[in-house]
Amino acid sequence: MAPFNLRRELVEQIRSVAAAATAGEHARIRIKVNNITDPAIVEELYRASQAGAEIDLIVRAVCVLVPGVPGLSERIRVRSILGRFLEHSRLYCFEAGTRKDYLLGSADLMQRNLDHRIEMVVPIDAPHVRAEIETIFRRLLSDNSQAWTLESDGQWQRLSPPDGERRRSAQALAMRGRSRARRQGQSR
């Protein structure tokens, strides 16, 4: 819980992934937030990238981290999904070796959220919730319709599907899934 121990816990998670990368083990970080502006967290993510961790960040608005810089952040990818809905979920997945820690909560990676507000991030252990988080990440990272990628020069580049590939919208897929779940609930 911020402002008490959330920063420390997130730094420990990032460092454990970096240590796994250094040891040659599987090392991956996936984060979905609205903003990343905290200098200390950005530095930790840079170090994890330099150690060899693969990092995917889905950031709706402000991101001060610069991805794709050789020797600094070449293993970091940043994308933003801009669609019909303003999404407020914050999701975290830290993979170090065989360990996968899933977290969800209210905190963006900003000094005001980590140091000056009450914010909660909780671990997720339930397999069905973990599977749902995996589905969300998979949809967001495969969106080629409403996604923009942050380039190393600080410019945002709109993604579009390659010739012959279907358009995929994470928000449209989420709406279809919700409608299907509603229909199934009504038929019981």
Side-chain angles (χ1 to χ4, degrees):
M1 175 191 305
F4 308 107
N5 64 350
L6 180 57
R7 173 184 294 285
R8 184 184 73 238
E9 295 292 329
L10 290 173
V11 167
E12 286 176 10
Q13 286 281 3
I14 295 167
R15 287 179 179 172
S16 74
V17 173
T22 300
E25 298 175 350
H26 174 73
R28 184 176 183 197
I29 297 171
R30 290 174 289 165
I31 297 174
K32 177 189 178 292
V33 292
N34 282 346
N35 300 289
I36 298 178
T37 62
D38 184 79
I41 296 292
V42 168
E43 282 301 316
E44 292 295 337
L45 291 168
Y46 286 154
R47 285 189 197 109
S49 173
Q50 292 164 359
E54 295 297 325
I55 302 171
D56 287 296
L57 306 172
I58 299 119
V59 185
R60 175 148 175 82
V62 180
C63 181
V64 300
L65 181 146
V66 181
V69 175
L72 177 69
S73 58
E74 60 202 51
R75 290 181 175 82
I76 301 177
R77 293 160 298 281
V78 177
R79 66 172 38 214
S80 181
I81 309 292
L82 300 177
R84 178 177 172 189
F85 301 109
L86 175 60
E87 297 183 42
H88 285 288
S89 60
R90 278 69 167 192
L91 305 172
Y92 302 84
C93 183
F94 299 97
E95 303 171 42
T98 59
R99 194 189 86 242
K100 265 191 189 182
D101 291 331
Y102 293 87
L103 308 168
L104 87 99
S106 63
D108 275 328
L109 299 176
M110 305 173 73
Q111 286 177 305
R112 72 177 190 197
N113 295 80
L114 297 174
D115 300 330
H116 305 294
R117 291 184 175 178
I118 300 293
E119 300 277 359
M120 295 292 298
V121 173
V122 297
I124 302 300
D125 295 321
H128 70 285
V129 180
R130 286 176 165 231
E132 182 64 26
I133 292 170
E134 282 294 333
T135 298
I136 292 167
F137 275 126
R138 190 171 45 258
R139 286 176 178 164
L140 292 169
L141 293 171
S142 68
D143 188 305
N144 64 11
S145 174
Q146 296 175 307
W148 295 71
T149 59
L150 182 59
E151 304 298 320
S152 60
D153 64 1
Q155 299 296 310
W156 288 95
Q157 180 72 39
R158 180 143 193 193
L159 290 180
S160 57
D163 289 340
E165 188 175 300
R166 252 183 54 220
R167 294 176 68 80
R168 290 184 306 275
S169 164
Q171 289 189 355
L173 287 170
M175 287 188 299
R176 279 189 227 126
R178 187 172 297 277
S179 294
R180 187 172 31 255
R182 233 180 280 142
R183 284 192 308 274
Q184 289 173 348
Q186 292 172 353
S187 66
R188 291 182 188 179

